[in-house]
Structures are given as structure tokens and as C-alpha cells.
Amino acid sequence: SVRLVDVSARDGLQADPSFIATNTKLALLASLAHVGLSSLEATSFVSPKAVPQFVDAGELIHKANAYLVPSAAPSQPPFANPRRRLKRHASQLDRALHIVMPDDPFDSFEATNDAVIYCTQNKKPLFLGTPRTPAPLRFSALVPNERGLRSALGVGVRQVAVFASASDAFSLRNINCDVDSALRRYIDVARLAHANNVEVRGYISCAFRCPYSGQVAREAVLRVLRALLDDAHCYEVAIADTLGSAQPEEVEALVAFLVEEGGVPVDKIALHLHDTRGRALANARAAYMRGVRVFDGSIGGFGGCPFAPGAPGNVATEDLAWMFSELGVEIEGDVSWRELARIGAQFCEYTGRKNTARVFAAMRAEAGMDALRSTFVQECKRLSL
């Protein structure tokens, strides 16, 4: 089976010039959790001056933990007999957000207690049911330094991500230090995270090519990967084709080099792909054939790195799910690519983003936009007023 890590709320939005309302981001995360995704990268604790989109990072994580993570939610709902109370407030349901809801939310709530309901009364949350996800739901956040980590710890983040480049030129442009200095910083960040029982995931950007220095040597990728695994003790590291320029043969060769010559366990490697030249799915398949089982994606294929000129969106999560379904590969969480495509269509339509997912284009051509709509768009608008 494969595990899909959705990075829409972080990598997907980081380069966006317009701010997305916090509750809209929460709606996106809740939708993805409800259809079975359990690995969601929610935000980044960076300077708001550098990336204004994440000025609400603390608020978003606080809300996500409070209303979406069962273990972090209050043991008792905010009111007794929520079914009766929801009926009492039925007139307010036109001001509620129903995220990927069954047709009858009351029966579903009574029978399964898994309805995701974000009901508002005077703009305050009344109730949010448990998301349907078979694995523990964790929201991760990117942290660039110790200050960002401490901010993340303060709002209850239980998983963080650190990123290092395989290219000195990109590292200098992105975080104003070379690779070795960045690794020393992230090792210290990781130690502090582990001391607080927080898991750490790693990223290696520009693992194939750098927009400033060109081709990146495989040995450089291995050196960074080893530092993140052995010294920072990351539980897995995502190899990123930041420019979306890699060929399937290059992906296969790099994975083979890291595993066979570098001695890296393949279950420690994930793949983070951008779809600049339309080769991301072929690259994902090449990595899968070499044993990689974790793949990052972004709903609707939106995103991109603000520090990498020419790097457009990530590979669409729904496209990855479609491809693996076509290959007969089980997806952790029993995730449906059709459900993901609907979420992507709804979110992109509401926020005005271009949807580049291939399955979106196919479904729209076959059935029209009405088949891709649900209450998400209309209700999300109301919640975000």
C-alpha cells in the first residue's frame, strides 16, 4: 500500500499572494481528514513578513487540534444531547459548514458519530464530530528554526518538518546560509523537538536540479539525507523535485543510488513532486517501482515554491490517488480519488485558484461542474464571511 501526504494547506498556499481565511483552511483540512487522509501538512511557523499566508499558523493548529483530532478534543461535546440540540438549531444549518457530509447528517451522527459538522452560533463553534480516518490524525507544520519550533510547541503541534537543500546556491537564496550551516541548525531544532516528544519529518529540496546552479549530484543528496536521518533522526525524508524537471529514469536512478549504494532503507524515503513538465505521475510510478511508498501531493495541483523561479504547483493528490487505484495499489485510509477530486474542485472554485488536476479536467468534461459540487463551496463562503 501507499501513504499520501497532503501538503495543500502549506506548500499549496505558501506562494499565494492572497490570504486564505483561517476557517477556510480548517474546512480544507477537515474535508481531507474526513475522506481518509491522516497525514496533513497544515501550515508553517515562519516569519509573517517572509510568508504572509501563515500569519495565522498558531490559530489554525489550535483549531485543528481542538475540533479535528479526537485525542485533542474535549471529552464531552459543548452541549448535552448534541443530536437534539442540532435539531433545535436546524434553522441555523444554513450558516453551518458541512464537510463531505452524508445526505442525512442527523442519522449519520446518531449511527456512526463520524459526521464532520462545524456549526456556528454567533461565529462560535458548537460541535464538530470525529473525522473518519483509520489512522491517528496528525497535523504537521514546517519550522525553519528554533523560534518557529517553539511557536509550534506552544500550540500543541506533535509533528514538525524541517527542510534542507542539496544545493548551496538554493540554500543561500532561500534561508541565507549554506547547506552545512542549515543542517547544523536543523539538527539542533530536531533535538529540541524530540526532547518534547515531537516527531520530525525532513525535506530535501532541489534533489535533482537547482534553479541557480543546475544539475545536483546524487552524492550531495545522499549527504543531506544521511544527516537528516542519522543526526536529526527524522522518521522519513521527502526527496523533492522542486523544479519539476526530473525524468522518470532520473528518479529511479536516484532512489536506487540512495538505497543500494547509500544504504538508506527505502521505507525512510518519500517523494515530493512538482508537475512543471507533466511528468510527476510517471516519476511517482518510477519511484514506486523502486520501493518508495510515501508520496506528497496537493489538492487541485496548486502550490509552488516562492524561492524557486519557474516552479509551479505540486502533483495533485487526486491524480496520485487515481494512478495508484488504476495500478491496483491500496491507498492507506481507503482514500477515493473521486472524493479528493470533488474537494479540489470545490476549494479551487471558491478560492479562485486554477485547478490543474488531470482527473478534475476529465470529470468536468464527462459530467460537468455540477457533478463536482457539493455544499462545501456555498457553506464555506458563509463560514468565511
Side-chain angles (χ1 to χ4, degrees):
S1 66
V2 297
R3 173 165 57 90
L4 301 182
V5 178
D6 189 88
V7 298
S8 307
R10 199 279 300 175
D11 201 17
L13 297 180
Q14 69 176 359
D16 201 296
S18 59
F19 180 74
I20 304 299
T22 306
N23 279 350
T24 303
K25 296 173 185 174
L26 181 67
L28 174 62
L29 293 171
S31 299
L32 297 171
H34 192 65
V35 300
L37 287 174
S38 60
S39 297
L40 304 172
E41 194 169 80
T43 189
S44 177
F45 285 85
V46 296
S47 167
K49 292 181 180 179
V51 188
Q53 186 64 248
F54 300 133
V55 67
D56 64 344
E59 179 186 2
L60 178 61
I61 291 293
H62 176 76
K63 286 184 174 182
N65 279 334
Y67 303 118
L68 298 181
V69 181
S71 60
S75 57
Q76 297 293 328
F79 43 78
N81 197 340
R83 174 181 164 85
R84 188 170 64 183
R85 183 66 177 271
L86 281 173
K87 279 190 171 181
R88 187 184 305 172
H89 290 284
S91 62
Q92 297 179 5
L93 291 182
D94 63 342
R95 298 202 304 273
L97 176 62
H98 300 267
I99 307 168
V100 197
M101 287 290 296
D103 291 336
D104 189 340
F106 300 119
D107 288 346
S108 172
F109 173 80
E110 185 179 43
T112 67
N113 199 33
D114 72 350
V116 177
I117 305 171
Y118 191 95
C119 192
T120 59
Q121 183 181 31
N122 299 325
K123 297 184 178 180
K124 295 182 179 180
L126 288 180
F127 178 75
L128 183 64
T130 305
R132 175 183 64 81
T133 176
L137 180 60
R138 290 283 180 88
F139 296 100
S140 67
L142 196 72
V143 292
N145 48 41
E146 185 177 324
R147 182 177 180 179
L149 174 62
R150 291 190 182 278
S151 297
L153 294 174
V155 292
V157 170
R158 306 312 306 165
Q159 185 180 110
V160 297
V162 296
F163 59 95
S165 176
S167 161
D168 276 319
F170 185 80
S171 186
L172 287 165
R173 294 288 188 100
N174 190 2
I175 57 177
N176 200 33
C177 66
D178 61 19
V179 172
D180 288 336
S181 299
L183 287 173
R184 287 193 294 269
R185 175 195 301 177
Y186 294 135
I187 290 169
D188 289 340
V189 168
R191 285 172 180 164
L192 179 59
H194 290 308
N196 287 273
N197 297 315
V198 170
E199 294 180 313
V200 182
R201 189 182 199 239
Y203 284 99
I204 302 178
S205 56
C206 296
F208 297 91
R209 288 177 185 82
C210 170
Y212 308 109
S213 60
Q215 192 76 25
V216 175
R218 294 180 294 183
E219 291 77 11
V221 178
L222 177 60
R223 183 171 69 89
V224 177
L225 178 57
R226 272 296 175 197
L228 291 174
L229 290 175
D230 300 340
D231 300 323
H233 301 291
C234 295
Y235 71 88
E236 74 183 16
V237 176
I239 306 299
D241 179 19
T242 307
L243 299 184
S245 61
Q247 299 273 5
E249 296 80 9
E250 293 177 292
V251 173
E252 186 175 1
L254 178 59
V255 173
F257 172 79
L258 297 174
V259 174
E260 297 170 6
E261 298 187 40
V264 177
V266 72
D267 62 358
K268 297 291 186 181
I269 298 174
L271 202 62
H272 181 102
L273 297 168
H274 288 240
D275 203 20
T276 311
R277 293 165 177 81
R279 294 195 290 260
L281 290 181
N283 289 339
R285 189 179 188 278
Y288 175 81
M289 299 305 291
R290 276 289 177 178
V292 176
R293 294 295 182 266
V294 183
F295 299 87
D296 294 0
S298 174
I299 281 294
F302 58 86
C305 179
F307 305 103
N314 299 269
V315 62
T317 310
E318 54 266 53
D319 285 345
L320 286 170
W322 169 81
M323 182 188 74
F324 286 119
S325 296
E326 289 291 299
L327 293 174
V329 178
E330 180 183 348
I331 302 172
E332 184 179 294
D334 195 24
V335 177
S336 163
W337 65 265
R338 291 183 182 276
E339 290 180 317
L340 291 175
R342 291 189 180 98
I343 294 171
Q346 295 153 17
F347 185 82
C348 288
E349 182 180 32
Y350 170 54
T351 58
R353 272 140 195 82
K354 182 180 180 180
N355 192 325
T356 61
R358 284 158 173 73
V359 295
F360 164 76
M363 291 179 71
R364 181 177 58 180
E366 292 173 1
M369 274 301 296
D370 288 342
L372 288 162
R373 290 194 180 101
S374 74
T375 59
F376 181 95
V377 176
Q378 291 79 15
E379 305 302 345
C380 193
K381 288 179 181 179
R382 295 187 180 96
L383 182 64
S384 302
L385 288 176

